[in-house]
Amino acid sequence: MKVAISTTGEGLESPFDSRFGRTAAFCLVDRASGEWTRHENPAQAAAGGAGVEAARFVVGLGAGAVISGAYGPHAFATLAAAGVEMYLAPADPDLTVAGALALLQEGSLRRAEAATHAGHHGSAS
Amino acid sequence: MIDETRCTRCGRCAEVCEYHALAVVGLRVLVFPALCHGCGSCLRVCPEGAISERQHGIGRLSTGVTAGGCRLSQGLMHVGEPMATPIVRALKRWPPAFAPAVPGIDCTLEIRDAPPGASCPVVETMRGADYLLLVTEPTPFGLHDLRQVVPIATELGIPAGVVINREGIGDAAVAAYCEEAGLPVLMRIPMERRFAEAIAAGRTLVEAAPEYGPAFRELLATIRATVAPAAPVALAAAGGGGR
Ligand code: SF4
Ligand code: SF4
């Protein structure tokens, strides 16, 4: 299964980004082989609905799970409808992509069972 | 609404939606009404004709008469709805255009009160107005908002004038900007404790300081002389910074 991990940087040693919809990029890691690719988040500068767009993007990448720090209601609904597992990692500036993945592998990440916040819309409306 | 029996999950509606109000994932099309701007693009691109529109209530309009005898209409958004602009638009058309005549001055007057700043609801409030009265204060906040909203007024072709509220606080940058931009300063209201106390107690400035009655009348006459003759005046007042 492939895991999409939100990140501000370029690869496995880059910092984990706790934002989902507005993260700079996703690092897509194959849990079995460890191979990874980096994908710029097209929703980063979206005027609205960033959570939905990022969720569609991650689903399109073929991810079966996501690690991020928070999921708004629209992102949650979209990822849940696609059957993508949502894991929550702490917003720790020292945490790297590889670190977040290691936490997932050892089973210490909590799954988001509902949206973690009420959404940020209205910024440009 | 999506007719799931017709929809082929082709994804075109979600592709075309600028606002990410639709997502086609797996076997479902998700609709997020709070994000929809009602542009109709999805209806046009759906090859199966599977999408239909449905009314989605986002707020409530109400109207009444103030203690002073002014007709007042307001729009209230439902909690959690992100978009105020459709409510402002509806409010401008409702209730059926009613604008009282102003005794002694040859016009009818509709005053639209806009929030501070230069966001979409502010622009929608301004649109169609004959004159824009910018109520600002002589602080960097007031200047910041003024600088944003004045070019929009120019773009919309609406003549504008400024009222400097709470004069005496802050600095002279707002007055300097008005001079430079060719904006007339139509009134200055000094920062006085008795005004602040009256407003805090729910009274108007004219109730607290009757000498302002003639000043407001003159302000209206000046505005009246600026806009095209015989047109009913719709005045949009946009506050900058605090009031
Ligand atoms: S465009 Fe029409 S058919 Fe295609 S996914 Fe959207 S609703 Fe379904
Ligand atoms: S009407 Fe426009 S904004 Fe609303 S869902 Fe369709 S395409 Fe998106």
Side-chain angles (χ1 to χ4, degrees), chain B residues 2-3 6-14 22 24 29 42 45-51:
Chain B
I2 312 280
D3 181 342
R6 285 202 214 167
C7 170
T8 57
R9 284 86 188 162
C10 70
R12 286 200 213 168
C13 54
L22 296 166
V24 180
V29 182
C42 55
V45 302
C46 176
E48 311 299 330
I51 305 179

Side-chain angles (χ1 to χ4, degrees), chain A residues 46-50 52-53 55-56 59 73-75 77-79 81-82 121-122 124-125, chain B residues 14-15 18-20 22-25 28 30 32 34-35 80 82-85 119-121:
Chain A
V52 177
E53 193 182 4
R56 285 176 51 206
V59 171
H74 298 133
T78 307
L79 291 169
H121 33 52
S125 63
Chain B
E15 285 305 318
E18 279 285 323
Y19 307 101
H20 311 116
L22 296 166
V24 180
V25 281
R28 293 183 55 201
L30 303 179
F32 301 113
L35 298 177
M83 274 180 286
T85 311
S119 59
C120 293

Side-chain angles (χ1 to χ4, degrees), chain B residues 48-68:
Chain B
E48 311 299 330
I51 305 179
S52 57
E53 280 185 285
R54 197 183 44 167
Q55 294 283 339
H56 170 64
I58 60 169
R60 180 182 293 262
L61 304 183
S62 58
T63 193
V65 179
T66 67

Side-chain angles (χ1 to χ4, degrees), chain B residues 191-218:
Chain B
M191 175 65 187
E192 278 187 37
R193 190 178 172 92
R194 61 186 178 119
F195 298 167
E197 278 170 359
I199 305 292
R203 291 187 299 138
T204 65
L205 176 61
V206 176
E207 281 169 332
E211 69 270 23
Y212 274 90
F216 276 110
R217 184 159 283 280
E218 198 177 306

Side-chain angles (χ1 to χ4, degrees), chain B residues 43-227:
Chain B
L43 272 82
R44 293 188 65 154
V45 302
C46 176
E48 311 299 330
I51 305 179
S52 57
E53 280 185 285
R54 197 183 44 167
Q55 294 283 339
H56 170 64
I58 60 169
R60 180 182 293 262
L61 304 183
S62 58
T63 193
V65 179
T66 67
C70 292
R71 177 87 164 251
L72 177 84
S73 299
Q74 65 170 10
L76 206 61
M77 290 163 76
H78 292 330
V79 171
E81 283 294 336
M83 274 180 286
T85 311
I87 296 183
V88 177
R89 208 178 292 134
L91 196 57
K92 282 163 66 177
R93 292 193 303 252
W94 184 94
F98 174 91
V102 182
I105 295 172
D106 168 33
C107 70
T108 55
L109 181 65
E110 176 188 318
I111 300 176
R112 301 178 188 158
D113 187 19
S119 59
C120 293
V122 176
V123 176
E124 185 56 44
T125 307
M126 288 162 59
R127 202 190 301 273
D130 301 298
Y131 196 87
L132 183 67
L133 188 62
L134 297 157
V135 182
T136 189
E137 56 177 36
T139 62
F141 304 111
L143 181 61
H144 173 269
D145 283 359
L146 206 55
R147 278 210 165 114
Q148 282 193 314
V149 81
V150 167
I152 300 174
T154 310
E155 175 93 31
L156 292 174
I158 306 173
V162 173
V163 170
I164 298 182
N165 194 14
R166 309 217 284 164
E167 196 180 47
I169 63 168
D171 52 36
V174 164
Y177 172 77
C178 291
E179 171 113 39
E180 181 193 314
L183 281 172
V185 176
L186 301 175
M187 190 189 263
R188 295 168 190 268
I189 302 169
M191 175 65 187
E192 278 187 37
R193 190 178 172 92
R194 61 186 178 119
F195 298 167
E197 278 170 359
I199 305 292
R203 291 187 299 138
T204 65
L205 176 61
V206 176
E207 281 169 332
E211 69 270 23
Y212 274 90
F216 276 110
R217 184 159 283 280
E218 198 177 306
L219 173 72
L220 185 56
T222 309
I223 293 173
R224 178 68 192 126
T226 310
V227 303

